[in-house]
């Protein structure tokens, strides 16, 4: 997997930085609760810049204080540089690598892949809890749905791609099922990425009950349309690992649900464990100080690997391989 080139902080990078900022346009929010969850300040977030002093209140010809104009311009440039640097050099500091050994993919995603091949608009709903909303990221721009949207738009620059962030912190299957109709099914998505199970482990809920609710939810999604569904299992982190037995059961049961309902699964737990145990990354390099949520690098690598699987599926369907026979009939020639 190729890594992104680092951005410097010199003045000549302002134009590329602007382009990088534009590529990280926030994705659509589906509810006020999701918006609130996404904009909650993360532990790493910086405080607001110091407001202009009294000496900066001279009014310019435009009617706006000249000092304030200069201050706003400087802060805007600094912000662009900061975002461009964070977006550009995050993988040069620590490369984002696929798990060692056998490559684990989500399998075929025929609906979203055929839409991309045919040049039709694509809607992806990222459904989940705080790690979908993006808690722990230094900016909403750096949550995984925004990172994924940026990657797919780079890969398919002429495509109309919308990634809807339907993440609400603290929820698991019982709460998600209550909003499944409005925030997922009624959106008529081409793909649903359902991150679930972590809070159930932390709340000591029965993994079997969670798996049953998820299976029922997938059945409803499939009955309502042709969306591809991908489950995302719990994260590998100190807080989750304290309940290792429950976490292991949850991971195994979600895998069985995916197999039973013929949907994809992104094995987040195994991917993150690979980062630590096989790639020798310290846990604090991808998890924030609460021992649970991912940081900017964690979200970025998670999104990168997820996006790689979507892109791989598009390539497979173009070649007519690794897809169900009834899908190949509708493959664009």
């Amino acid at each position: 997997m190729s890594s992104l080139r680092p951005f410097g902080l010199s003045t000549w990078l302002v134009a590329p930085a602007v382009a990088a900022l534009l590529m990280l346009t926030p994705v659509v929010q589906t509810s006020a609760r999701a918006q609130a969850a996404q904009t909650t300040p993360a532990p790493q977030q910086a405080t607001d810049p110091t407001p202009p002093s009294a000496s900066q209140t001279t009014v310019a010809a435009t009617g706006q204080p000249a000092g304030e104009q200069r201050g706003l311009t400087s802060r805007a440039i600094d912000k662009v540089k900061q975002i461009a640097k964070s977006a550009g050099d995050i993988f040069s500091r620590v490369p984002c690598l696929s798990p060692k050994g056998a490559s684990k993919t989500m399998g075929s995603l025929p609906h979203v892949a055929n839409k991309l091949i045919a040049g039709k608009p694509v809607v992806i709903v990222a459904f989940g809890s705080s790690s979908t909303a993006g808690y722990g990221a230094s900016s909403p721009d750096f949550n995984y749905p925004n990172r994924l949207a940026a990657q797919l738009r780079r890969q398919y620059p002429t495509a109309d791609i919308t990634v809807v962030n339907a993440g609400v912190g603290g929820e698991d299957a019982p709460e998600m099922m209550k909003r499944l109709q409005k925030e997922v099914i009624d959106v008529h998505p081409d793909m649903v990425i359902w991150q679930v199970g972590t809070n159930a482990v932390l709340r000591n809920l029965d993994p079997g009950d969670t798996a049953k609710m998820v299976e029922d939810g997938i059945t409803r999604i499939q009955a309502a349309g042709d969306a591809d569904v991908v489950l995302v299992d719990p994260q590998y982190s100190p807080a989750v690992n304290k309940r290792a037995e429950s976490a292991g059961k949850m991971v195994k049961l979600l895998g069985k649900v995916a197999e039973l309902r013929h949907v994809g699964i992104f094995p987040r737990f195994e991917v993150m464990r690979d980062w630590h145990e096989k790639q020798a990354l310290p846990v604090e390099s991808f998890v924030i100080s609460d021992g649970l949520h991912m940081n900017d690098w964690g979200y970025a690598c998670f999104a990168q690997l997820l996006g790689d699987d979507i892109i791989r599926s598009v390539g497979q369907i173009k070649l007519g391989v690794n897809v169900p026979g009834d899908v190949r009939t509708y493959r664009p020639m």
Side-chain angles (χ1 to χ4, degrees):
M1 181 186 304
S2 61
S3 60
L4 300 178
R5 294 181 179 177
F7 281 89
L9 289 178
S10 55
T11 306
W12 63 270
L13 275 176
V14 171
V18 172
L21 179 60
L22 292 175
M23 294 184 72
L24 291 169
T25 302
V27 295
V28 180
Q29 295 293 321
T30 62
S31 67
R33 291 186 302 162
Q35 178 69 30
Q38 192 183 39
T39 56
T40 300
Q44 304 98 315
Q45 279 186 301
T47 56
D48 292 335
T50 304
S53 65
S55 63
Q56 294 177 308
T57 57
T58 304
V59 178
T62 60
Q64 185 179 20
E68 185 175 336
Q69 283 183 309
R70 289 193 297 273
L72 289 173
T73 300
S74 298
R75 288 197 295 274
I77 291 173
D78 289 343
K79 179 65 173 176
V80 166
K81 288 180 179 178
Q82 177 186 352
I83 291 178
K85 177 176 174 59
S86 181
D89 73 356
I90 197 163
F91 291 152
S92 68
R93 289 174 288 182
V94 180
C96 177
L97 305 175
S98 298
K100 295 180 179 179
S103 177
K104 294 183 178 180
T105 68
M106 298 181 300
S108 294
L109 303 170
H111 191 71
V112 71
N114 274 303
K115 293 287 284 287
L116 284 169
I117 292 169
K120 297 179 180 179
V122 169
V123 175
I124 299 173
V125 172
F127 191 45
S129 58
S130 57
S131 59
T132 296
Y135 186 82
S138 64
S139 164
D141 293 323
F142 302 148
N143 62 39
Y144 104 74
N146 276 324
R147 291 282 198 181
L148 177 63
Q151 179 186 359
L152 294 178
R153 289 169 186 154
R154 287 193 298 270
Q155 181 71 22
Y156 309 106
T158 62
D160 180 3
I161 299 171
T162 301
V163 179
V164 180
N165 191 328
V168 177
E171 289 194 352
D172 213 276
E175 297 83 11
M176 293 178 197
M177 290 296 287
K178 294 177 182 178
R179 57 191 182 94
L180 180 70
Q181 184 68 42
K182 180 180 179 181
E183 299 189 10
V184 178
I185 295 173
D186 289 351
V187 177
H188 304 293
D190 301 296
M191 180 178 182
V192 179
I193 304 170
W194 191 351
Q195 167 259 312
V196 66
T198 298
N199 287 317
V201 170
L202 298 178
R203 287 153 55 182
N204 202 29
L205 301 181
D206 185 347
D209 291 344
T210 298
K212 182 64 170 63
M213 281 184 275
V214 172
E215 183 182 349
D216 291 345
I218 294 173
T219 301
R220 288 174 55 188
I221 294 170
Q222 291 175 327
D226 297 323
D228 298 317
V229 179
V230 172
L231 296 179
V232 177
D233 61 24
Q235 64 261 46
Y236 175 91
S237 67
V240 173
N241 295 343
K242 288 179 180 178
R243 300 180 179 273
E245 184 178 355
S246 178
K249 288 180 180 178
M250 185 67 72
V251 169
K252 185 176 295 185
L253 285 172
L254 290 176
K256 288 183 177 179
V257 169
E259 183 178 359
L260 179 67
R261 298 306 312 170
H262 304 289
V263 300
I265 187 161
F266 183 89
R268 180 170 59 155
F269 188 88
E270 290 301 326
V271 166
M272 294 179 71
R273 181 158 67 178
D274 187 275
W275 294 346
H276 180 57
E277 294 183 0
K278 295 185 180 180
Q279 298 183 36
L281 299 180
V283 171
E284 56 269 22
S285 69
F286 53 85
V287 173
I288 65 173
S289 59
D290 68 0
L292 177 62
H293 296 92
M294 288 183 283
N295 60 16
D296 282 354
W297 186 91
Y299 284 123
C301 193
F302 168 39
Q304 179 76 34
L305 298 177
L306 190 61
D308 287 346
D309 272 346
I310 295 172
I311 292 166
R312 186 181 297 109
S313 183
V314 174
Q316 289 170 340
I317 286 186
K318 281 184 177 180
L319 296 173
V321 299
N322 196 27
V323 260
D326 58 343
V327 174
R328 195 174 294 117
T329 305
Y330 302 98
R331 181 169 57 88
M333 301 304 292

